[in-house]
Amino acid sequence: MPKTIQAGFAYFAMVLGAGFALGLVRVPVVVPRLGERWAELLEMPIMAIAIYLAAGVILRQFPEIGSPRRSIIAGVLALALMVAVELALAALIRGMAPAQFIGSRDPVSGSVYLVLLLVFAVMPRLRLSAR
């Protein structure tokens, strides 16, 4: 199980890093030109690719998660970490309670983001099946 936990943390870190890097471009460059909704929607396919690639990396680096159960555990752990970090950053940086943060999301891009989070959780399992 410790390797599964390490894989979940690694997966989370890779995708968080990609999202952070994209945010450095999205917020100051794209949002002022296109608005929050379109900037987030343009970022989603890039994040989907990052998720796909990161899932492949953890499956190669952590062969111990090569079972359906362990790959799902790693993905769900990564999802829990991602949600926890996002809610913590919303509280620390924006002073928002979790309900406020969720309510402040754009209905369109927020819905797409929710689907992408679910894809993030199951992608290690999906990539495992594709082998």
Side-chain angles (χ1 to χ4, degrees), residues 15-109:
V15 174
L16 179 69
F20 181 78
L22 287 170
L24 291 175
V25 174
R26 177 178 45 88
V27 173
V29 177
V30 183
V31 170
R33 288 174 174 80
L34 300 177
E36 190 78 28
R37 174 182 289 176
W38 285 104
E40 288 179 358
L41 289 172
L42 284 172
E43 186 180 274
M44 301 284 175
I46 300 166
M47 284 304 298
I49 292 168
I51 289 166
Y52 178 85
L53 295 173
V57 169
I58 64 158
L59 287 169
R60 283 189 301 280
Q61 287 185 346
F62 298 93
E64 300 84 3
I65 67 164
S67 72
R69 181 176 168 269
R70 287 182 182 226
S71 62
I72 285 289
I73 290 170
V76 169
L77 172 60
L79 172 65
L81 292 167
M82 188 68 73
V83 170
V85 166
E86 287 213 23
L87 293 176
L89 288 174
L92 293 171
I93 294 172
R94 299 168 89 183
M96 298 175 107
Q100 285 178 300
F101 174 68
I102 293 167
S104 74
R105 297 294 308 229
D106 177 80
V108 174
S109 63

